[in-house]
Short mmCIF file of all heavy atoms in Angstrom, two decimals:
data_model
loop_
_atom_site.label_atom_id
_atom_site.label_comp_id
_atom_site.label_asym_id
_atom_site.label_seq_id
_atom_site.Cartn_x
_atom_site.Cartn_y
_atom_site.Cartn_z
N ARG A 30 139.60 90.86 111.81
CA ARG A 30 140.91 91.24 112.35
C ARG A 30 141.34 92.55 111.68
O ARG A 30 141.35 92.64 110.45
CB ARG A 30 141.93 90.14 112.08
CG ARG A 30 143.26 90.40 112.73
CD ARG A 30 144.15 89.19 112.58
NE ARG A 30 143.53 88.09 113.32
CZ ARG A 30 144.06 87.54 114.40
NH1 ARG A 30 145.22 87.93 114.85
NH2 ARG A 30 143.44 86.55 115.02
N LEU A 31 141.67 93.52 112.51
CA LEU A 31 142.11 94.83 112.03
C LEU A 31 143.58 94.99 112.35
O LEU A 31 144.00 94.76 113.49
CB LEU A 31 141.33 95.95 112.75
CG LEU A 31 139.82 95.95 112.50
CD1 LEU A 31 139.12 96.75 113.57
CD2 LEU A 31 139.55 96.54 111.14
N PRO A 32 144.40 95.35 111.36
CA PRO A 32 145.84 95.53 111.64
C PRO A 32 146.08 96.75 112.51
O PRO A 32 145.24 97.65 112.59
CB PRO A 32 146.43 95.71 110.25
CG PRO A 32 145.33 96.31 109.46
CD PRO A 32 144.05 95.69 110.00
N LEU A 33 147.19 96.76 113.18
CA LEU A 33 147.59 97.97 113.93
C LEU A 33 147.84 99.07 112.92
O LEU A 33 148.63 98.91 111.99
CB LEU A 33 148.85 97.69 114.73
CG LEU A 33 148.75 96.61 115.80
CD1 LEU A 33 150.09 96.39 116.47
CD2 LEU A 33 147.70 96.96 116.83
N VAL A 34 147.12 100.16 113.07
CA VAL A 34 147.30 101.29 112.16
C VAL A 34 147.57 102.54 112.99
O VAL A 34 147.14 102.62 114.14
CB VAL A 34 146.05 101.51 111.27
CG1 VAL A 34 145.85 100.34 110.33
CG2 VAL A 34 144.81 101.73 112.10
N PRO A 35 148.28 103.51 112.43
CA PRO A 35 148.53 104.74 113.19
C PRO A 35 147.21 105.45 113.51
O PRO A 35 146.24 105.35 112.76
CB PRO A 35 149.37 105.58 112.21
CG PRO A 35 149.84 104.65 111.16
CD PRO A 35 148.88 103.50 111.12
N ALA A 36 147.20 106.17 114.62
CA ALA A 36 146.02 106.94 115.01
C ALA A 36 145.60 107.85 113.87
O ALA A 36 146.43 108.49 113.24
CB ALA A 36 146.31 107.75 116.27
N GLY A 37 144.32 107.86 113.58
CA GLY A 37 143.79 108.71 112.51
C GLY A 37 143.84 108.09 111.14
O GLY A 37 143.31 108.65 110.18
N ALA A 38 144.48 106.93 110.99
CA ALA A 38 144.57 106.27 109.66
C ALA A 38 143.19 105.70 109.30
O ALA A 38 142.41 105.33 110.16
CB ALA A 38 145.60 105.17 109.69
N ALA A 39 142.95 105.65 108.02
CA ALA A 39 141.67 105.10 107.53
C ALA A 39 141.63 103.60 107.80
O ALA A 39 142.62 102.89 107.64
CB ALA A 39 141.53 105.37 106.03
N LEU A 40 140.47 103.12 108.23
CA LEU A 40 140.28 101.70 108.53
C LEU A 40 139.63 100.94 107.38
O LEU A 40 139.74 99.72 107.30
CB LEU A 40 139.42 101.53 109.79
CG LEU A 40 140.05 102.02 111.08
CD1 LEU A 40 139.02 102.00 112.19
CD2 LEU A 40 141.24 101.18 111.44
N ALA A 41 138.94 101.66 106.49
CA ALA A 41 138.22 101.00 105.40
C ALA A 41 139.19 100.19 104.54
O ALA A 41 140.27 100.66 104.15
CB ALA A 41 137.51 102.03 104.54
N GLY A 42 138.81 98.94 104.30
CA GLY A 42 139.61 98.06 103.45
C GLY A 42 140.81 97.44 104.12
O GLY A 42 141.61 96.77 103.45
N THR A 43 140.97 97.60 105.43
CA THR A 43 142.15 97.07 106.11
C THR A 43 141.91 95.76 106.84
O THR A 43 142.85 95.07 107.24
CB THR A 43 142.70 98.08 107.14
OG1 THR A 43 141.73 98.27 108.17
CG2 THR A 43 143.04 99.42 106.51
N ALA A 44 140.64 95.40 107.05
CA ALA A 44 140.34 94.23 107.88
C ALA A 44 140.41 92.93 107.08
O ALA A 44 140.40 92.93 105.84
CB ALA A 44 138.93 94.38 108.46
N ARG A 45 140.48 91.84 107.85
CA ARG A 45 140.44 90.49 107.27
C ARG A 45 139.33 89.74 108.01
O ARG A 45 139.25 89.76 109.24
CB ARG A 45 141.79 89.82 107.49
CG ARG A 45 141.86 88.43 106.82
CD ARG A 45 143.22 87.82 106.97
NE ARG A 45 143.34 87.29 108.33
CZ ARG A 45 144.46 87.25 109.01
NH1 ARG A 45 145.58 87.70 108.50
NH2 ARG A 45 144.48 86.77 110.23
N LEU A 46 138.49 89.06 107.25
CA LEU A 46 137.42 88.27 107.85
C LEU A 46 137.99 86.95 108.33
O LEU A 46 138.51 86.16 107.55
CB LEU A 46 136.30 88.02 106.83
CG LEU A 46 135.09 87.23 107.33
CD1 LEU A 46 134.33 87.98 108.42
CD2 LEU A 46 134.15 86.94 106.15
N GLU A 47 137.92 86.74 109.65
CA GLU A 47 138.41 85.49 110.23
C GLU A 47 137.34 84.41 110.12
O GLU A 47 137.63 83.28 109.80
CB GLU A 47 138.80 85.70 111.70
CG GLU A 47 140.01 86.57 111.88
CD GLU A 47 141.27 85.94 111.34
OE1 GLU A 47 141.53 84.75 111.61
OE2 GLU A 47 142.02 86.65 110.63
N TRP A 48 136.08 84.78 110.46
CA TRP A 48 134.98 83.86 110.29
C TRP A 48 133.65 84.59 110.36
O TRP A 48 133.54 85.66 110.92
CB TRP A 48 135.01 82.67 111.24
CG TRP A 48 135.33 82.92 112.70
CD1 TRP A 48 136.53 82.72 113.31
CD2 TRP A 48 134.43 83.38 113.71
NE1 TRP A 48 136.42 83.04 114.64
CE2 TRP A 48 135.15 83.44 114.92
CE3 TRP A 48 133.10 83.75 113.72
CZ2 TRP A 48 134.58 83.86 116.11
CZ3 TRP A 48 132.53 84.17 114.92
CH2 TRP A 48 133.28 84.21 116.08
N LEU A 49 132.66 83.94 109.76
CA LEU A 49 131.27 84.40 109.75
C LEU A 49 130.45 83.16 110.04
O LEU A 49 130.49 82.20 109.28
CB LEU A 49 130.92 84.99 108.38
CG LEU A 49 129.50 85.46 108.15
CD1 LEU A 49 129.13 86.58 109.09
CD2 LEU A 49 129.33 85.92 106.69
N VAL A 50 129.72 83.18 111.16
CA VAL A 50 129.03 81.98 111.62
C VAL A 50 127.51 82.17 111.58
O VAL A 50 127.00 83.12 112.17
CB VAL A 50 129.45 81.60 113.05
CG1 VAL A 50 128.69 80.40 113.55
CG2 VAL A 50 130.93 81.35 113.11
N ARG A 51 126.85 81.24 110.92
CA ARG A 51 125.39 81.19 110.97
C ARG A 51 125.04 80.47 112.28
O ARG A 51 125.66 79.45 112.62
CB ARG A 51 124.85 80.40 109.79
CG ARG A 51 125.06 81.10 108.47
CD ARG A 51 124.56 80.26 107.36
NE ARG A 51 123.13 79.97 107.59
CZ ARG A 51 122.27 79.73 106.62
NH1 ARG A 51 122.67 79.69 105.40
NH2 ARG A 51 121.01 79.52 106.91
N PRO A 52 124.05 80.96 113.00
CA PRO A 52 123.71 80.34 114.28
C PRO A 52 123.45 78.84 114.21
O PRO A 52 123.82 78.10 115.11
CB PRO A 52 122.46 81.10 114.72
CG PRO A 52 122.57 82.40 114.03
CD PRO A 52 123.25 82.14 112.73
N LYS A 53 122.84 78.37 113.13
CA LYS A 53 122.51 76.95 113.02
C LYS A 53 123.76 76.07 113.10
O LYS A 53 123.69 74.94 113.55
CB LYS A 53 121.79 76.65 111.71
CG LYS A 53 120.35 77.10 111.73
CD LYS A 53 119.66 76.70 110.44
CE LYS A 53 118.22 77.17 110.48
NZ LYS A 53 117.48 76.79 109.28
N LEU A 54 124.91 76.59 112.70
CA LEU A 54 126.14 75.81 112.76
C LEU A 54 126.59 75.57 114.19
O LEU A 54 127.30 74.60 114.45
CB LEU A 54 127.26 76.52 112.00
CG LEU A 54 127.07 76.64 110.50
CD1 LEU A 54 128.22 77.48 109.90
CD2 LEU A 54 127.01 75.29 109.84
N TRP A 55 126.20 76.43 115.11
CA TRP A 55 126.63 76.32 116.50
C TRP A 55 125.56 75.78 117.43
O TRP A 55 125.79 75.64 118.62
CB TRP A 55 127.15 77.66 117.01
CG TRP A 55 128.55 77.93 116.57
CD1 TRP A 55 129.29 77.23 115.68
CD2 TRP A 55 129.38 78.99 117.01
NE1 TRP A 55 130.52 77.78 115.54
CE2 TRP A 55 130.60 78.87 116.34
CE3 TRP A 55 129.21 80.03 117.90
CZ2 TRP A 55 131.66 79.75 116.54
CZ3 TRP A 55 130.25 80.91 118.10
CH2 TRP A 55 131.47 80.78 117.42
N LEU A 56 124.38 75.53 116.92
CA LEU A 56 123.31 75.02 117.77
C LEU A 56 123.39 73.52 117.90
O LEU A 56 123.75 72.84 116.94
CB LEU A 56 121.94 75.43 117.21
CG LEU A 56 121.64 76.93 117.22
CD1 LEU A 56 120.32 77.22 116.51
CD2 LEU A 56 121.62 77.47 118.64
N PRO A 57 123.03 73.01 119.07
CA PRO A 57 123.06 71.54 119.23
C PRO A 57 122.03 70.88 118.31
O PRO A 57 120.99 71.47 118.02
CB PRO A 57 122.69 71.33 120.69
CG PRO A 57 122.22 72.64 121.21
CD PRO A 57 122.60 73.71 120.26
#
């Protein structure tokens, strides 16, 4: 998730990890 930032603002360090999924977790 990236916050709304003004045009041209730096994006590095602004995001938040919502989830990281290994494929095995979603396989039947």
Side-chain angles (χ1 to χ4, degrees):
R30 186 172 296 246
L31 297 161
L33 298 176
V34 294
L40 294 171
T43 64
R45 184 177 77 212
L46 182 64
E47 292 294 313
W48 45 259
L49 176 63
V50 178
R51 292 178 59 153
K53 286 184 180 181
L54 294 175
W55 279 9
L56 294 175

